[in-house]
Amino acid sequence: AGRMLRYLHSAAAFRDQFRGKSADAVRLKKDGGTVDAITAATISSRAVANGVREALTWYRKNFPQGPGGEPRG
């Protein structure tokens, strides 16, 4: 049970690093950003950060007025 709790805490802490970040900040610290990688999972952490950054860039391009707005045609 302790191992699972540590994992859940670690996953939540990793996820929470993305809240309120600009697309440029969503990079691992070792890549010049603000996100800490999960220990021993740098490649996976980088893939997640890249995916979040790409999704955020797409969203802001297509929904410049924010949540609830109409997508750009």
Side-chain angles (χ1 to χ4, degrees):
R3 192 170 172 194
M4 179 59 96
L5 288 175
R6 281 193 304 277
Y7 168 77
L8 291 174
H9 174 57
S10 175
F14 179 72
R15 179 198 64 222
D16 290 346
Q17 294 181 91
F18 294 92
R19 294 183 191 273
K21 302 281 188 203
S22 69
D24 288 335
V26 179
R27 297 182 192 283
L28 296 185
K29 285 184 177 178
K30 59 174 57 178
D31 294 335
T34 62
V35 177
D36 285 314
I38 294 176
T39 302
T42 301
I43 293 172
S44 298
S45 298
R46 184 172 287 130
V48 169
N50 289 343
V52 169
R53 188 176 59 257
E54 289 175 16
L56 182 59
T57 300
W58 178 90
Y59 179 84
R60 289 195 173 146
K61 177 182 173 188
N62 290 284
F63 293 90
Q65 61 279 41
E70 292 294 319
R72 280 197 172 153

